[in-house]
Amino acid sequence: TDRKKLHTAPIGQVFRLRPFHVLVATGGGYAGYKKYEDYKLEQLEKRGIEVPVKLASEWEVALYKSVPTRLLSRAWGRLNQVELPTWLRKPVYSLYIWTFGVNMKEAAVEDLHHYRNLSEFFRRKLKPQARPVCCVHSVISPSDGKILNFGQVKNCEVEQVKGVTYSLESFLGPRICTEELNFSQAPSGNSFQHQLVTKEGNELYHCVIYLAPGDYHCFHSPTDWRVSHRRHFPGSLMSVNPGVARWIKELFCHNERVVLTGDWKHGFFSLTAVGATNVGSIRIYFDQDLHTNSPCYSKGSFNDFSFISNNNKEGIPMRKGEHLGEFNLGSTIVLIFEAPKDFKFHLKAGQKIRFGEALGSL
């Protein structure tokens, strides 16, 4: 009679899980499994073994999208803004440098105590002589990174990695007003690709550059051109590393991105900054109205902004090598541009490249 009674809650209350928690746990676990699979594929590629393309099914893509990557990216962005105590800065940054192979000898300020938070460290500037801009070739790399793919655009499809493509029109969105860009006045039955080409005899080319977390995070103008228009696509923030790009078709069309379009001496030119996990923040230096990774957005929507006005008929002129924007962490830059048929890339798929080095020329 002196024993205390043990009160137990119903099992249903103890194991009560909300759908959101189930989605986070399941999606996060699956994303971790895919990371491990990507690692194994990278090891096979290093050994020279060709890996067959295996695309994700619709349910796999939906499961991956269930992971709240936009929320996590906003949380990561806020964490980056937290000022670190002086004594903690060197250990934290040194760990990051060791993990991702960052070369701090290229940084304008090598003293790690100078960077108050992770955001400042990610956006560190380089010494002027660290990235000489190639003056011989007409198009240079806008950033440090790895070349995933390049070549001519064919049948309105662009390769994100070898054997995996995405739709040109889905990526860039509907045609922009001909008053802003010199689109050819082609018949409506012509393909979207042909409508972008403004000069007879020209072709459309593309180049995809992946920025790893350890790369220099700023990007620059790849050539002398005029930016007329910005189109912002809110969207998912899935990883864009080569393993995921090989797995999810039209990955870049799913993710949030900022498309800058305009023209250069040979016709149409565009540069697109693609967001990724923990890279919801995309900044364009001359565009103060751009706000990425907002909490609310309409699926499949986009918003346009024109840099051409009554007071500014020329848009935004950019010089080759000029600072253009930055990411919070690593991500992807996609160039799609018009050029004569004798344009040649000076690249190899999979090679590492640095900002200022040649991409191609006539």
Side-chain angles (χ1 to χ4, degrees), residues 32 86 90 98 112 120 143 168 248 299 326 340 342 351 359:
T86 305
K90 189 171 183 178
W98 177 79
L112 298 181
E120 286 189 1
S143 65
L168 180 65
I248 298 181
K299 186 177 180 180
E326 63 189 37
D342 56 350
Q351 79 170 71
L359 283 185

Side-chain angles (χ1 to χ4, degrees), residues 70-129:
R70 294 179 63 84
L71 177 61
L72 293 173
S73 297
R74 285 194 295 274
W76 174 254
R78 292 191 177 185
L79 179 63
N80 288 348
Q81 300 293 331
V82 176
E83 184 169 342
L84 297 176
T86 305
W87 62 268
L88 188 59
R89 295 174 188 176
K90 189 171 183 178
V92 170
Y93 302 147
S94 296
L95 177 62
Y96 186 90
I97 290 168
W98 177 79
T99 303
F100 297 107
V102 178
N103 184 4
M104 284 302 293
K105 291 183 179 180
E106 298 176 335
V109 180
E110 297 184 38
D111 182 12
L112 298 181
H113 296 101
H114 170 79
Y115 304 101
R116 295 173 297 175
N117 51 48
L118 282 167
S119 182
E120 286 189 1
F121 179 72
F122 293 146
R123 294 183 285 107
R124 65 191 178 277
K125 303 301 181 183
L126 299 182
K127 295 173 182 175
Q129 66 273 21

Side-chain angles (χ1 to χ4, degrees), residues 134-155:
C134 176
C135 299
V136 177
H137 299 281
S138 53
V139 183
I140 62 169
S141 176
S143 65
D144 289 6
K146 178 181 180 181
I147 301 296
L148 294 190
N149 217 302
F150 63 92
Q152 282 191 20
V153 177
K154 297 180 180 179
N155 302 320

Side-chain angles (χ1 to χ4, degrees), residues 283-351:
R283 182 183 174 194
I284 304 297
Y285 294 138
F286 58 75
D287 189 354
Q288 302 302 316
D289 295 321
L290 175 65
H291 301 286
T292 57
N293 196 14
S294 299
C296 299
Y297 73 98
S298 300
K299 186 177 180 180
S301 65
F302 61 85
N303 57 75
D304 289 338
F305 184 86
S306 174
F307 296 111
I308 293 180
S309 63
N310 293 331
N311 298 326
N312 180 17
K313 299 290 186 180
E314 298 299 321
I316 308 295
M318 297 296 301
R319 303 294 296 174
K320 184 167 65 173
E322 187 177 351
H323 276 87
L324 182 55
E326 63 189 37
F327 292 113
N328 250 356
L329 205 58
S331 195
T332 299
I333 295 286
V334 180
L335 302 179
I336 299 175
F337 58 93
E338 174 186 358
K341 290 183 178 180
D342 56 350
F343 181 87
K344 300 293 183 184
F345 284 102
H346 305 290
L347 303 171
K348 291 182 180 178
Q351 79 170 71

Side-chain angles (χ1 to χ4, degrees), residues 108-233:
V109 180
E110 297 184 38
D111 182 12
L112 298 181
H113 296 101
H114 170 79
Y115 304 101
R116 295 173 297 175
N117 51 48
L118 282 167
S119 182
E120 286 189 1
F121 179 72
F122 293 146
R123 294 183 285 107
R124 65 191 178 277
K125 303 301 181 183
L126 299 182
K127 295 173 182 175
Q129 66 273 21
R131 295 291 187 276
V133 175
C134 176
C135 299
V136 177
H137 299 281
S138 53
V139 183
I140 62 169
S141 176
S143 65
D144 289 6
K146 178 181 180 181
I147 301 296
L148 294 190
N149 217 302
F150 63 92
Q152 282 191 20
V153 177
K154 297 180 180 179
N155 302 320
C156 295
E157 293 281 324
V158 185
E159 280 195 318
Q160 57 191 29
V161 293
K162 186 177 180 181
V164 182
T165 63
Y166 55 94
S167 163
L168 180 65
E169 186 169 6
S170 297
F171 182 70
L172 295 178
R175 283 202 310 161
I176 301 167
C177 177
T178 55
E179 293 180 0
E180 296 181 24
L181 295 175
N182 297 320
F183 285 122
S184 59
Q185 300 298 322
S188 57
N190 280 17
S191 68
F192 182 82
Q193 176 180 338
H194 291 138
Q195 292 172 5
L196 294 181
V197 177
T198 64
K199 299 180 181 179
E200 187 176 352
N202 281 1
E203 297 288 348
L204 211 57
Y205 298 86
H206 73 98
C207 183
V208 183
I209 305 170
Y210 167 68
L211 288 73
D215 287 327
Y216 169 55
H217 293 354
C218 297
F219 51 93
H220 301 246
S221 176
T223 192
D224 296 333
W225 64 307
R226 179 178 66 104
V227 183
S228 305
H229 188 273
R230 179 258 291 160
R231 176 168 284 163
H232 173 215
F233 291 85

